[in-house]
Amino acid sequence: MKSSSFRRIAAVTATAALILAGTTACGRGGGDEARGPKIVLAISTLNNPFFVELRDGAQAAADEAGVDLYIVDAQNDSATQANQLATATAGSTKAVIVNPVDSDAASASVNALTAADIPVIGVDRTVNDADLTSLVASDNVAGGKQAADELAAAMGEKGTVISLQGVSGTSASRDRGAGFDEGIAAYPDITVVAEQTANFDRASALDVTTNLLQANPGVTGIFAENDEMALGAIQALGARAGSEVSVVGFDGTADGLTAISDGSLYATVAQQPAELGKLAIELAVKAINGEDVEATVPVDVVAVTKTNVGDFSK
C-alpha cells in the first residue's frame, strides 16, 4: 500500500510539474499576477505542425480576450492527458479546451469537469459519451470525401490505393476515413488494397508506407489522413511521388502546401487550425460569462491543389 501511495503522489507531482512547464513555455507570460480567468488548453500533441498552429491561434485569441491560457501537451498519451484534466478539475480553472488523444478515453475526465461545473470545449476532435459545452471542428467526413475525389482525379479514376490512418480512437481519424471510404466507393475502377495506421506521424508513415509498398508495388495512389503522414509516404516513394504515385493529404500545413508546389503532393484538404484555436477561446470565454454557445461550430475545409495553392501559401 505504501508503494502504491508513493506512486500516486509521484504521478501527481510529475503532472503538476508538467503543467507548470507548459504554462511557462506556452502561456501568457508577463507578470506573476493573473490578468483574467484561467483557461486550460489540453492538446493531444505539439509534435505536429497542425496543432502548433492551433495553439498559436488560441494564444493570440487569449491575449486579445485578456484571459490566462495554460497549455498542456499530452504527447499523444491518453493517461497523461487524463492526469492533466484531473489537475484542471482540482485547480482554479474556469474553462477547459480539450483536443483529445483518444475520443473514448477522454470521456471520464471530461464528465468529471462538467460535474464540477467547468465548461469544456472540444476542438478538432470530439469526446465520445461526454457532455461537451461546445465542439469546434472541421467537417472531417466531408473533407474525406473531397480527398477521395481529388485522388480519383489524379489517378484517372482507376488504379489501386493505400490508405494511411491516424491515431486509433480519434474522431478525426474515424471521420476522415469514413468520408474517404464513402467517396472512393463512387469509383468502381479504384481499389483500396491496404489500410494501416501510422498515428498521424511522419516517421511512422515512412516506415508503414515502405512496408506496404513492398507488398503492393503497383499502387498508384495514397491517401493519408493528415499531411504529416502524406509527407512520410512521399519520403518512402522517393522519385515516384507525384509521377507514378499520386498522394493526397489532409490539414493544409505549411509543409504540405510546399509539397503541392513542388509536385510531390497532389492535393491536401486544408483546415484552418489557427481559426479552430481562436474560435475555441471565444467559445470558452462566452461559456465562462454564462452566455449561450452553439453545440457545434463548424469550420470549412477546402481542397488545395497546384491550381489554388497560391491562395493558401503561408
Side-chain angles (χ1 to χ4, degrees), residues 44-45 47-51 76 124-125 140 144 147 163-167 170 172-173 176-177 196-206 209 222-234 247-253 255-256 265 267-271:
S44 59
T45 179
N47 188 30
N48 182 322
F50 177 83
F51 292 117
N76 268 336
D124 184 57
R125 304 169 181 172
N140 284 306
S163 177
L164 298 178
Q165 300 166 329
V167 175
T170 61
S173 179
R176 292 174 194 180
Q196 189 170 327
T197 182
N199 293 314
F200 288 137
D201 180 73
R202 190 183 303 198
S204 295
L206 169 59
T209 305
I222 294 177
F223 168 59
E225 291 178 354
N226 79 340
D227 285 346
E228 284 296 286
M229 293 192 297
L231 293 166
I234 287 168
V247 182
V248 172
F250 202 117
D251 277 346
T253 63
D255 286 350
L265 182 65
T268 185
V269 177
Q271 300 194 84

Side-chain angles (χ1 to χ4, degrees), residues 147-174:
D149 289 338
E150 293 298 335
L151 186 58
M155 297 170 60
E157 300 188 7
K158 62 183 179 180
T160 54
V161 171
I162 287 171
S163 177
L164 298 178
Q165 300 166 329
V167 175
S168 295
T170 61
S171 59
S173 179
R174 182 192 66 231

Side-chain angles (χ1 to χ4, degrees), residues 81-220:
Q81 187 165 72
N83 286 334
Q84 292 168 342
L85 294 174
T87 302
T89 306
S92 58
T93 305
K94 299 302 181 185
V96 170
I97 299 166
V98 61
N99 164 246
V101 173
D102 184 310
S103 296
D104 292 320
S107 61
S109 300
V110 169
N111 286 329
L113 286 162
T114 55
D117 294 324
I118 298 173
V120 182
I121 310 298
V123 62
D124 184 57
R125 304 169 181 172
T126 193
V127 179
N128 297 330
D129 299 319
D131 187 17
L132 291 172
T133 305
S134 184
L135 171 66
V136 55
S138 304
D139 188 337
N140 284 306
V141 174
K145 291 178 183 177
Q146 290 182 52
D149 289 338
E150 293 298 335
L151 186 58
M155 297 170 60
E157 300 188 7
K158 62 183 179 180
T160 54
V161 171
I162 287 171
S163 177
L164 298 178
Q165 300 166 329
V167 175
S168 295
T170 61
S171 59
S173 179
R174 182 192 66 231
D175 292 348
R176 292 174 194 180
F180 179 79
D181 290 346
E182 183 180 341
I184 210 70
Y187 301 95
D189 293 327
I190 294 178
T191 303
V192 178
V193 293
E195 296 177 325
Q196 189 170 327
T197 182
N199 293 314
F200 288 137
D201 180 73
R202 190 183 303 198
S204 295
L206 169 59
D207 292 339
V208 168
T209 305
T210 299
N211 292 333
L212 291 177
L213 287 172
Q214 290 174 355
N216 303 278
V219 159
T220 52

